[in-house]
Amino acid sequence: MYKRFLILIVIFITACTSGTESAEENALSPAEINEGWKLLFNGSTLEGWTLASPGTWKVTSGTIANADEEGGGVRGMIWSSATYGDFILKCEFKIAPECNSGIFFRVGDTESPIQTGFEMQIIDSFSRPKIGPLATHNCGALYDIAAPSHNMAKPAGEWNQSVITCKNNIISISLNGDQVVSNINLDMYTEPNLNTDGTKNKFSLPLKDFPRSGHIGFQQQGGGVWFKNIKIKEL
């Protein structure tokens, strides 16, 4: 009986340890490695990233951060050194109150990111309604193009999980486990400054003509923001 009890304890400890390893911060699980995921941030350095302006981003407590101890930040961008076309991008982010940030992707020219790439909006919009004039600027939106179908943003100070999927002309976004932007077909956007529903956007080229490959970047336009567990699977 005593031996059997000890065996059960060993099995329980082994199971707990395995679960802990798979959830390790800024690391790939064996399953993710087998599936072809790559880590874009190692948790300790900015290797593989380029600052648009010196001193704007840093590594702190296992995160890429644009924030001081009070949660304020310095405006600026940080870019992946490599470029990516078709992919699934996963990352977690946390914001300070009133933060305005974003995840940029497929940016062809880092000197003109808004006119040569796309952005998943990150903003303190936990209390905002899902509809209205700011809908395409809510957290989880494909910025200025498609509003999130519902508000999945967590309050400032809590971690959010985002997934951006790009496959040729199709873009989808999930936030905290729910798909909030579904199957945006870029080939349907044939006019400059115009979305498919007739609303205006700020893009001087039709979205069908935007680059299908480019840099990934994080933006800070006000308030502190932190990123971790940044992983990509090329498709």
Side-chain angles (χ1 to χ4, degrees):
M1 182 69 180
Y2 182 70
K3 274 189 174 181
R4 189 174 176 184
F5 180 71
L6 287 178
I7 290 170
L8 289 173
I9 290 176
V10 170
I11 292 172
F12 176 77
I13 292 174
T14 301
C16 290
T17 302
S18 298
T20 301
E21 289 176 351
S22 64
E24 185 179 351
E25 298 280 76
N26 301 309
L28 296 173
S29 69
E32 287 174 323
I33 293 171
N34 288 336
E35 292 168 5
W37 288 90
K38 298 177 183 177
L39 202 61
L40 294 188
F41 171 53
N42 60 21
S44 57
T45 72
L46 291 178
E47 180 182 358
W49 295 87
T50 302
L51 298 181
S53 301
T56 50
W57 295 82
K58 61 185 177 182
V59 176
T60 179
S61 301
T63 71
I64 295 179
N66 186 313
D68 55 28
E69 292 181 359
E70 286 73 41
V74 180
R75 288 178 180 242
M77 300 287 306
I78 184 171
W79 298 107
S80 66
S81 302
T83 58
Y84 302 93
D86 294 343
F87 58 82
I88 305 172
L89 174 68
K90 299 191 297 188
C91 78
E92 296 178 44
F93 64 89
K94 180 177 70 171
I95 59 175
E98 301 183 5
C99 173
N100 183 355
S101 177
I103 301 173
F104 280 72
F105 52 97
R106 282 184 170 179
V107 174
D109 181 1
T110 57
E111 296 297 320
S112 182
I114 292 175
Q115 295 299 330
T116 66
F118 301 95
E119 177 189 0
M120 188 204 89
Q121 174 76 75
I122 293 175
I123 198 165
D124 187 8
S125 62
F126 173 73
S127 301
R128 283 187 188 173
K130 72 174 186 178
I131 59 175
L134 292 176
T136 58
H137 297 181
N138 280 356
C139 193
L142 185 58
Y143 182 79
D144 221 33
I145 301 167
S149 57
H150 48 297
N151 190 347
M152 288 300 297
K154 293 185 178 181
E158 295 186 20
W159 285 102
N160 296 265
Q161 297 178 324
S162 64
V163 181
I164 299 170
T165 303
C166 296
K167 181 67 174 177
N168 195 10
N169 57 310
I170 303 297
I171 296 176
S172 297
I173 296 173
S174 293
L175 185 62
N176 295 320
D178 277 25
Q179 192 167 73
V180 294
V181 174
S182 299
N183 300 320
I184 298 301
N185 186 346
L186 300 177
D187 289 344
M188 301 295 290
Y189 292 76
T190 59
E191 300 290 334
N193 303 119
L194 194 66
N195 293 318
T196 55
D197 62 1
T199 59
K200 297 289 187 180
N201 65 44
K202 63 170 62 179
F203 308 110
S204 56
L205 286 176
L207 298 182
K208 71 178 183 63
D209 295 332
F210 268 46
R212 297 289 169 95
S213 179
H215 298 274
I216 292 167
F218 300 139
Q219 177 198 53
Q220 200 279 352
Q221 282 201 311
V225 60
W226 298 258
F227 295 92
K228 66 177 182 178
N229 294 324
I230 308 161
K231 305 173 184 182
I232 195 165
K233 179 181 179 180
E234 295 185 81
L235 301 175

